[in-house]
Amino acid sequence: MSNVNEEMGKAMDMIMKVSKMVVRGVMPFYLLTFLPLHAQRMDDVAVHSKYIQAVDEYRPAPGQYVNDVPEYEVGDSEQDMIRKCTERLANNERSLVALGGWGGYITFHFDHSIANIPGQRDFAVWGNAYQEMRNLVFGGMNEAGVVMVSKDVNGNGKPDDPWYEISGSCDVDSIGKVTYGYEVTYCKNPMGDIPWTDNQGNSGTIDRNHYHTQEYYPQWLEDGLTFKGTRLPDNMLNLSEKVDAGFSPYYFVLVGFRYGYADNLPNYTDNADATSYNYEGCGIDISWAVDEQRQPVNLDFIDFVRVYTGLNQKCPQPEWWGETSTEIQGAEDIHLDASLQAIRDAITGIPSVVLNQPLSVYDLQGRKVQNPSRGLYINKGKKYFIK
Ligand SMILES: [Ca+2]
Ligand SMILES: [Ca+2]
Ligand SMILES: [Ca+2]
């Protein structure tokens, strides 16, 4: 029968096999590994955060909030702008970052891998979507961002691994109206409307308005930015005739999609209750990830999340709304404890099981134990971690 030291030795072997698993943060990886499981659990809760740790990439498309949210200052490099995004989003800071028109994106990570817990949404992305005031449609200020996920397969802590898109509700609700393999290229036009062309033979402009007087093309990026991805179906409705002209001469709304996007549905289920987080509407299930052929992929963990603006449309009244632009306010692991437990399980190769029935198992010294409490045991020749 194994003893605890042998168990730890085997665990170390497993670590080499799963070295792809990234556990970032203040606790060194080796320390996390050698701590007794109970102590790890205590430390994990104290050390790890469910919120974004840092932003890795920020390449917005042109837009009325670009160079302003966050602010570009003369001489800023791409790294400076990424740092400004981190300052706005990490640790639940909850300031906004704007992604500009279609295709503009941001990439961020947490201080641990997020586990794909079966049957559950795994992380939530917070934006600034809201229900329109007159309750005429579902949603109303929906600027859906497409969400992508990636696992740090090469273990270098950088988002240079395969990416998978989250298949949101448009894939089932709007069949034939979603454009896959879409591309848009934007060109500089200093202090003017920003021209774009797409790979479907269309062209247009991101128009200036008098509310936002700064340059709309991301100042720190090269001319001729090209973005690739999925274009969601236009969702803007003109409901101007449905409202009193004294209230507003225009009333355009952006109808919400059911699930699977960022900045799509409100952060709260009850606007009067700041604790009513909308994990259902803003939550993402890693099991929704698909490959380039839109076939489901089976991911046990993800290390990076990317969000890009999924709509290419603008309001015909630019003083009401301009281009549709996804905004991000933060993100969180919906089940921090479960993610940390899944990481430990993967490191040790020991699955966590919840045994509800009173039964007898063997401890690691081979002694029979009745009604085992939390810990490592042997049962029918298999190792079990009982939660
Ligand atoms: Ca899941
Ligand atoms: Ca990597
Ligand atoms: Ca928004």
Side-chain angles (χ1 to χ4, degrees), residues 128-129 141 143 263 325-327:
N128 64 353
M141 187 43 173
E143 298 185 296
D263 197 19
S325 157
T326 302
E327 282 89 28

Side-chain angles (χ1 to χ4, degrees), residues 70-370:
E71 185 183 2
Y72 169 83
E73 293 164 292
V74 174
D76 276 348
S77 66
E78 188 165 356
Q79 283 307 314
D80 292 328
M81 296 306 292
I82 290 169
R83 174 179 47 78
K84 289 181 179 184
C85 290
T86 294
E87 289 166 2
R88 286 175 159 259
L89 298 181
N91 306 315
N92 203 28
E93 202 56 39
R94 291 183 100 86
S95 290
L96 285 178
V97 167
L99 305 183
W102 186 88
Y105 66 88
I106 189 167
T107 305
F108 50 83
H109 66 256
F110 300 79
D111 67 12
H112 59 281
S113 304
I114 295 184
N116 181 9
I117 301 299
Q120 290 185 30
R121 285 160 169 76
D122 304 294
F123 63 91
V125 182
W126 307 119
N128 64 353
Y130 57 83
Q131 176 63 41
E132 50 88 14
M133 296 168 272
R134 299 302 165 97
N135 280 310
L136 299 174
V137 297
F138 176 67
M141 187 43 173
N142 158 314
E143 298 185 296
V146 177
V147 179
M148 302 183 78
V149 292
S150 178
K151 190 173 173 178
D152 190 17
V153 178
N154 62 10
N156 67 355
K158 295 176 183 166
D160 55 359
D161 313 275
W163 282 94
Y164 303 99
E165 201 158 288
I166 295 297
S167 172
S169 58
C170 291
D171 284 346
V172 288
D173 294 349
S174 303
I175 292 170
K177 296 179 181 170
V178 181
T179 309
Y180 305 104
Y182 190 59
E183 288 187 29
V184 173
T185 299
Y186 299 89
C187 289
K188 286 187 176 181
N189 183 24
M191 298 307 283
D193 298 344
I194 307 294
W196 58 263
T197 55
D198 69 14
N199 64 347
Q200 315 284 309
N202 306 305
S203 60
T205 50
I206 302 277
D207 297 336
R208 297 185 65 79
N209 61 53
H210 76 256
Y211 298 111
H212 303 281
T213 56
Q214 86 290 357
E215 170 61 40
Y216 287 13
Y217 194 100
Q219 298 267 60
W220 65 98
L221 295 179
E222 68 276 12
D223 194 9
L225 281 174
T226 297
F227 299 97
K228 301 177 183 183
T230 298
R231 178 183 175 181
L232 304 177
D234 290 355
N235 64 343
M236 187 176 293
L237 292 180
N238 182 357
L239 301 182
S240 302
E241 291 183 357
K242 302 240 180 198
V243 300
D244 177 358
F247 163 69
S248 169
Y250 317 118
Y251 198 67
F252 293 88
V253 297
L254 305 177
V255 181
F257 302 127
R258 281 192 302 125
Y259 67 86
Y261 303 100
D263 197 19
N264 174 40
L265 296 173
N267 295 349
Y268 305 102
T269 55
D270 176 358
N271 270 338
D273 178 2
T275 63
S276 63
Y277 295 108
N278 188 5
Y279 290 115
E280 181 88 3
C282 300
I284 301 291
D285 186 342
I286 295 169
S287 292
W288 296 337
V290 295
D291 63 18
E292 288 192 354
Q293 285 73 45
R294 311 302 289 184
Q295 296 302 306
V297 289
N298 186 17
L299 296 169
D300 51 357
F301 293 93
I302 58 106
D303 296 289
F304 300 100
V305 176
R306 179 178 289 166
V307 178
Y308 66 87
T309 298
L311 292 150
N312 186 10
Q313 65 186 358
K314 64 183 180 184
C315 185
Q317 294 294 339
E319 303 297 326
W320 176 261
W321 285 346
E323 78 287 349
T324 300
S325 157
T326 302
E327 282 89 28
I328 296 301
Q329 205 181 62
E332 70 180 77
D333 181 346
I334 292 175
H335 47 51
L336 176 63
D337 279 356
S339 288
L340 298 177
Q341 184 60 55
I343 291 168
R344 282 191 292 268
D345 292 349
I347 288 171
T348 61
I350 303 169
S352 288
V353 291
V354 179
L355 300 176
N356 295 319
Q357 303 295 326
L359 51 80
S360 62
V361 291
Y362 294 88
D363 68 15
L364 297 178
Q365 280 73 45
R367 295 172 299 214
K368 196 167 190 177
V369 180
Q370 299 288 347

Side-chain angles (χ1 to χ4, degrees), residues 355 359-362 377-384 386:
L355 300 176
L359 51 80
S360 62
V361 291
Y362 294 88
Y377 298 96
I378 305 290
N379 185 41
K380 294 181 180 170
K382 290 182 180 171
K383 288 174 290 186
Y384 282 103
I386 298 180

